[in-house]
Amino acid sequence: MSFGFLAFAFEPSPLQYFCVAHPSSSAKVNGLACKNPALVQASDFSFSGLHLAGNTSNPNGSKVSPVSVAQVPGLNTLGISMVRIDYAPWGINPPHTHPRATEILTVIEGSLQVGFVTSNPGNTLFTKTLQKGDVFVFPVGLVHFQRNVVTGHAVAIAGFSNDILAKAFQVDKSVVDQLQAKF
Ligand code: MN
């Protein structure tokens, strides 16, 4: 059977094919209000610049460059986003959580120690040192981190199963102390 000229459709969970974020609306339904579909363009689904290194001149020695609904209006309500993360030598993306998003990360330059912590049962640290091309997953809601373990620059690309603009960073100091004790 050939499918070459068949059009497949499915019932997506959203009510429209897309809901490109309206540039000036502050209304929030399940995301931002939709732009008039007749005015939507390809550029609403596009972003340029992820090849550019972020500025890591800060106390953590890392920089997250997001590609979320603020950068790509067409991501609105789709439940997916991504980031580039740059790390100075020994830089760290400190322990944090994404309450609604699982994160999948790959190293494209350098080497990173990564890990996450489960809180029940016990505080178990799952950690691994990644080389270029390696992939690691941080399950939704769990405290996690990345740390550059080489003397050169490191770069990672990560995808999220939800928009992470609403992320909450609330890490108990004891968790940070525990993680640092293991380094
Ligand atoms: Mn993260």
Side-chain angles (χ1 to χ4, degrees), residues 124-143:
T124 303
L125 174 64
F126 295 80
T127 186
K128 191 175 194 308
T129 298
L130 306 181
Q131 310 300 330
K132 182 176 180 178
D134 291 349
V135 173
F136 200 80
V137 172
F138 306 108
V140 57
L142 299 186
V143 172

mmCIF file of all heavy atoms in Angstrom, residues 124-143:
data_model
loop_
_atom_site.group_PDB
_atom_site.id
_atom_site.type_symbol
_atom_site.label_atom_id
_atom_site.label_comp_id
_atom_site.label_asym_id
_atom_site.label_seq_id
_atom_site.Cartn_x
_atom_site.Cartn_y
_atom_site.Cartn_z
ATOM 1 N N THR A 124 18.528 9.894 47.016
ATOM 2 C CA THR A 124 19.444 9.129 46.172
ATOM 3 C C THR A 124 19.901 9.999 45.014
ATOM 4 O O THR A 124 19.080 10.588 44.307
ATOM 5 C CB THR A 124 18.748 7.866 45.622
ATOM 6 O OG1 THR A 124 18.274 7.098 46.729
ATOM 7 C CG2 THR A 124 19.721 7.027 44.807
ATOM 8 N N LEU A 125 21.214 10.084 44.841
ATOM 9 C CA LEU A 125 21.789 10.859 43.745
ATOM 10 C C LEU A 125 22.106 9.936 42.579
ATOM 11 O O LEU A 125 22.835 8.959 42.737
ATOM 12 C CB LEU A 125 23.060 11.563 44.232
ATOM 13 C CG LEU A 125 23.876 12.301 43.172
ATOM 14 C CD1 LEU A 125 23.092 13.460 42.580
ATOM 15 C CD2 LEU A 125 25.197 12.783 43.761
ATOM 16 N N PHE A 126 21.532 10.242 41.416
ATOM 17 C CA PHE A 126 21.859 9.532 40.182
ATOM 18 C C PHE A 126 22.759 10.456 39.379
ATOM 19 O O PHE A 126 22.298 11.515 38.934
ATOM 20 C CB PHE A 126 20.586 9.213 39.390
ATOM 21 C CG PHE A 126 19.670 8.245 40.085
ATOM 22 C CD1 PHE A 126 18.820 8.662 41.093
ATOM 23 C CD2 PHE A 126 19.669 6.902 39.728
ATOM 24 C CE1 PHE A 126 17.975 7.766 41.732
ATOM 25 C CE2 PHE A 126 18.824 5.995 40.362
ATOM 26 C CZ PHE A 126 17.981 6.426 41.376
ATOM 27 N N THR A 127 24.013 10.076 39.189
ATOM 28 C CA THR A 127 24.942 10.986 38.529
ATOM 29 C C THR A 127 25.797 10.231 37.530
ATOM 30 O O THR A 127 26.036 9.023 37.665
ATOM 31 C CB THR A 127 25.816 11.726 39.569
ATOM 32 O OG1 THR A 127 26.621 12.698 38.903
ATOM 33 C CG2 THR A 127 26.706 10.764 40.332
ATOM 34 N N LYS A 128 26.263 10.980 36.509
ATOM 35 C CA LYS A 128 27.058 10.381 35.444
ATOM 36 C C LYS A 128 27.877 11.485 34.798
ATOM 37 O O LYS A 128 27.433 12.637 34.758
ATOM 38 C CB LYS A 128 26.124 9.749 34.396
ATOM 39 C CG LYS A 128 26.797 8.866 33.359
ATOM 40 C CD LYS A 128 25.738 8.208 32.465
ATOM 41 C CE LYS A 128 26.298 7.062 31.636
ATOM 42 N NZ LYS A 128 27.493 7.389 30.864
ATOM 43 N N THR A 129 29.043 11.141 34.330
ATOM 44 C CA THR A 129 29.844 12.100 33.577
ATOM 45 C C THR A 129 29.615 11.861 32.091
ATOM 46 O O THR A 129 29.804 10.745 31.600
ATOM 47 C CB THR A 129 31.336 11.970 33.927
ATOM 48 O OG1 THR A 129 31.495 12.268 35.323
ATOM 49 C CG2 THR A 129 32.164 12.955 33.103
ATOM 50 N N LEU A 130 29.170 12.894 31.419
ATOM 51 C CA LEU A 130 28.821 12.794 30.002
ATOM 52 C C LEU A 130 29.939 13.334 29.128
ATOM 53 O O LEU A 130 30.549 14.361 29.447
ATOM 54 C CB LEU A 130 27.549 13.598 29.706
ATOM 55 C CG LEU A 130 26.303 13.310 30.544
ATOM 56 C CD1 LEU A 130 25.150 14.199 30.061
ATOM 57 C CD2 LEU A 130 25.926 11.842 30.453
ATOM 58 N N GLN A 131 30.161 12.652 28.023
ATOM 59 C CA GLN A 131 31.071 13.150 26.991
ATOM 60 C C GLN A 131 30.241 13.692 25.825
ATOM 61 O O GLN A 131 29.017 13.490 25.772
ATOM 62 C CB GLN A 131 31.992 12.023 26.494
ATOM 63 C CG GLN A 131 32.690 11.248 27.602
ATOM 64 C CD GLN A 131 33.580 12.111 28.475
ATOM 65 O OE1 GLN A 131 34.132 13.119 28.016
ATOM 66 N NE2 GLN A 131 33.716 11.743 29.750
ATOM 67 N N LYS A 132 30.914 14.339 24.919
ATOM 68 C CA LYS A 132 30.263 14.869 23.723
ATOM 69 C C LYS A 132 29.410 13.788 23.056
ATOM 70 O O LYS A 132 29.890 12.682 22.811
ATOM 71 C CB LYS A 132 31.339 15.376 22.759
ATOM 72 C CG LYS A 132 30.835 16.006 21.493
ATOM 73 C CD LYS A 132 32.010 16.545 20.696
ATOM 74 C CE LYS A 132 31.548 17.199 19.408
ATOM 75 N NZ LYS A 132 32.709 17.762 18.664
ATOM 76 N N GLY A 133 28.169 14.121 22.792
ATOM 77 C CA GLY A 133 27.263 13.172 22.142
ATOM 78 C C GLY A 133 26.446 12.333 23.107
ATOM 79 O O GLY A 133 25.484 11.688 22.686
ATOM 80 N N ASP A 134 26.804 12.344 24.371
ATOM 81 C CA ASP A 134 26.024 11.580 25.356
ATOM 82 C C ASP A 134 24.733 12.319 25.699
ATOM 83 O O ASP A 134 24.671 13.551 25.656
ATOM 84 C CB ASP A 134 26.829 11.368 26.638
ATOM 85 C CG ASP A 134 28.010 10.428 26.447
ATOM 86 O OD1 ASP A 134 28.084 9.777 25.385
ATOM 87 O OD2 ASP A 134 28.856 10.363 27.353
ATOM 88 N N VAL A 135 23.738 11.552 26.079
ATOM 89 C CA VAL A 135 22.406 12.092 26.402
ATOM 90 C C VAL A 135 22.036 11.673 27.820
ATOM 91 O O VAL A 135 22.369 10.565 28.259
ATOM 92 C CB VAL A 135 21.349 11.558 25.394
ATOM 93 C CG1 VAL A 135 19.939 11.961 25.813
ATOM 94 C CG2 VAL A 135 21.661 12.051 23.984
ATOM 95 N N PHE A 136 21.346 12.554 28.528
ATOM 96 C CA PHE A 136 20.880 12.239 29.882
ATOM 97 C C PHE A 136 19.497 12.847 30.072
ATOM 98 O O PHE A 136 19.181 13.893 29.508
ATOM 99 C CB PHE A 136 21.839 12.822 30.928
ATOM 100 C CG PHE A 136 21.741 12.174 32.285
ATOM 101 C CD1 PHE A 136 22.362 10.963 32.538
ATOM 102 C CD2 PHE A 136 21.028 12.780 33.308
ATOM 103 C CE1 PHE A 136 22.285 10.357 33.784
ATOM 104 C CE2 PHE A 136 20.944 12.190 34.565
ATOM 105 C CZ PHE A 136 21.575 10.974 34.803
ATOM 106 N N VAL A 137 18.684 12.189 30.875
ATOM 107 C CA VAL A 137 17.312 12.637 31.128
ATOM 108 C C VAL A 137 17.144 13.007 32.594
ATOM 109 O O VAL A 137 17.593 12.274 33.482
ATOM 110 C CB VAL A 137 16.298 11.524 30.757
ATOM 111 C CG1 VAL A 137 14.890 11.909 31.210
ATOM 112 C CG2 VAL A 137 16.339 11.263 29.261
ATOM 113 N N PHE A 138 16.525 14.155 32.827
ATOM 114 C CA PHE A 138 16.172 14.593 34.180
ATOM 115 C C PHE A 138 14.648 14.488 34.310
ATOM 116 O O PHE A 138 13.911 15.300 33.738
ATOM 117 C CB PHE A 138 16.630 16.029 34.417
ATOM 118 C CG PHE A 138 18.095 16.246 34.140
ATOM 119 C CD1 PHE A 138 18.501 16.959 33.027
ATOM 120 C CD2 PHE A 138 19.066 15.727 34.987
ATOM 121 C CE1 PHE A 138 19.854 17.159 32.767
ATOM 122 C CE2 PHE A 138 20.413 15.911 34.736
ATOM 123 C CZ PHE A 138 20.803 16.632 33.616
ATOM 124 N N PRO A 139 14.172 13.500 35.060
ATOM 125 C CA PRO A 139 12.711 13.297 35.146
ATOM 126 C C PRO A 139 11.988 14.507 35.748
ATOM 127 O O PRO A 139 12.541 15.222 36.593
ATOM 128 C CB PRO A 139 12.578 12.065 36.049
ATOM 129 C CG PRO A 139 13.876 11.343 35.892
ATOM 130 C CD PRO A 139 14.909 12.437 35.754
ATOM 131 N N VAL A 140 10.779 14.701 35.311
ATOM 132 C CA VAL A 140 9.975 15.854 35.717
ATOM 133 C C VAL A 140 9.973 16.027 37.236
ATOM 134 O O VAL A 140 9.797 15.075 37.994
ATOM 135 C CB VAL A 140 8.536 15.728 35.168
ATOM 136 C CG1 VAL A 140 7.859 14.444 35.622
ATOM 137 C CG2 VAL A 140 7.702 16.949 35.548
ATOM 138 N N GLY A 141 10.220 17.271 37.646
ATOM 139 C CA GLY A 141 10.076 17.637 39.049
ATOM 140 C C GLY A 141 11.273 17.348 39.935
ATOM 141 O O GLY A 141 11.293 17.817 41.082
ATOM 142 N N LEU A 142 12.270 16.615 39.452
ATOM 143 C CA LEU A 142 13.382 16.249 40.330
ATOM 144 C C LEU A 142 14.496 17.293 40.287
ATOM 145 O O LEU A 142 14.792 17.872 39.239
ATOM 146 C CB LEU A 142 13.939 14.883 39.941
ATOM 147 C CG LEU A 142 12.948 13.714 40.050
ATOM 148 C CD1 LEU A 142 13.651 12.394 39.778
ATOM 149 C CD2 LEU A 142 12.286 13.694 41.431
ATOM 150 N N VAL A 143 15.103 17.525 41.453
ATOM 151 C CA VAL A 143 16.230 18.460 41.535
ATOM 152 C C VAL A 143 17.407 17.890 40.743
ATOM 153 O O VAL A 143 17.768 16.720 40.906
ATOM 154 C CB VAL A 143 16.629 18.671 43.010
ATOM 155 C CG1 VAL A 143 17.920 19.480 43.097
ATOM 156 C CG2 VAL A 143 15.513 19.378 43.761
#
